[in-house]
Amino acid sequence: MQWAHHPIAYFVAGMLVPTVSYFLLAWTGVKNERYGNGDDSDSESYDDNGVSPLVDGSCPSASWSIIDAPYKMVLCVNTSLGMGKGKIAAQCGHAAVGCYKRAHRQCPSALSSWERTGCAKIAVKCPTEEEMHAIFEKAVNKGIPVYLVEDAGRTQIAAGSQTVLGMGPAPVRVFEDVTSHLKLM
């Protein structure tokens, strides 16, 4: 019997090659590029409004973990712009991705806990841009990851319009006095 054509040889090779590859890559220090290389525009130390995202570990969110569950992400939609449903959906998508990337750097344990507990997201109505800015400040002060979407102006609204403020993921309790007064979309 030749071992090269035996099913056990295929099985062992199928198990051995990926395992050895994994350990060789881990040993040589190859980084996991799943979340990008950090060269994107969102990796700056300050956001578009000049507010530090507090990624140095001094932020309360750096210590959030599974024991702080339940978690949620809040998408605060600027309803004063009169966006259509599809536009709102697209802008909420931008905010969710931006928050995810920000949380990956700012509070990775919280992000992991949010993923493990269902990735809850809610969209709320914000009546004015001024109210959205006040909410932004409250969220930053509480250490909540934030991402403010500004529209490019190619479809329904003017360029630079602030459409959605994404916040989180963060423990549900942290949103008290930040967005608890807003109605669901």
Side-chain angles (χ1 to χ4, degrees):
M1 169 174 18
Q2 287 185 323
W3 281 101
H5 297 293
H6 197 276
I8 292 175
Y10 291 120
F11 175 76
V12 170
M15 295 299 288
L16 191 59
V17 171
T19 304
V20 169
S21 299
Y22 171 79
F23 284 108
L24 285 175
L25 290 174
W27 180 71
T28 58
V30 174
K31 288 175 61 176
N32 181 354
E33 297 294 332
R34 179 175 165 198
Y35 297 108
N37 60 11
D39 290 333
D40 60 352
S41 62
D42 192 41
S43 64
E44 299 168 3
S45 57
Y46 294 91
D47 67 10
D48 296 333
N49 294 316
V51 179
S52 169
L54 302 170
V55 295
D56 63 358
S58 65
C59 182
S61 61
S63 65
W64 292 337
S65 67
I66 195 69
I67 62 170
D68 296 298
Y71 280 83
K72 70 179 175 181
M73 181 183 288
V74 176
L75 306 170
C76 188
V77 178
N78 183 352
T79 56
S80 69
L81 297 172
M83 296 180 285
K85 293 175 187 176
K87 182 71 170 179
I88 290 172
Q91 298 300 296
C92 285
H94 292 315
V97 170
C99 282
Y100 188 95
K101 290 168 68 175
R102 179 76 36 94
H104 183 258
R105 286 191 321 276
Q106 183 175 330
C107 51
S109 181
L111 180 64
S112 177
S113 299
W114 174 71
E115 289 176 321
R116 290 179 180 161
T117 58
C119 299
K121 292 169 278 316
I122 64 166
V124 295
K125 298 175 185 178
C126 188
T128 66
E129 194 169 302
E130 292 76 24
E131 175 73 9
M132 199 160 57
H133 287 220
I135 292 167
F136 180 96
E137 292 299 324
K138 288 179 187 177
V140 168
N141 290 336
K142 288 192 168 203
I144 300 171
V146 297
Y147 188 84
L148 185 56
V149 180
E150 290 189 359
D151 194 64
R154 290 190 282 265
T155 57
Q156 298 177 10
I157 56 177
S161 297
Q162 295 178 333
T163 58
V164 177
L165 170 61
M167 294 166 283
V172 170
R173 64 176 164 72
V174 178
F175 287 100
E176 283 299 317
D177 301 323
V178 179
T179 58
S180 54
H181 65 286
L182 298 174
K183 295 185 187 305
L184 294 174
M185 284 291 294

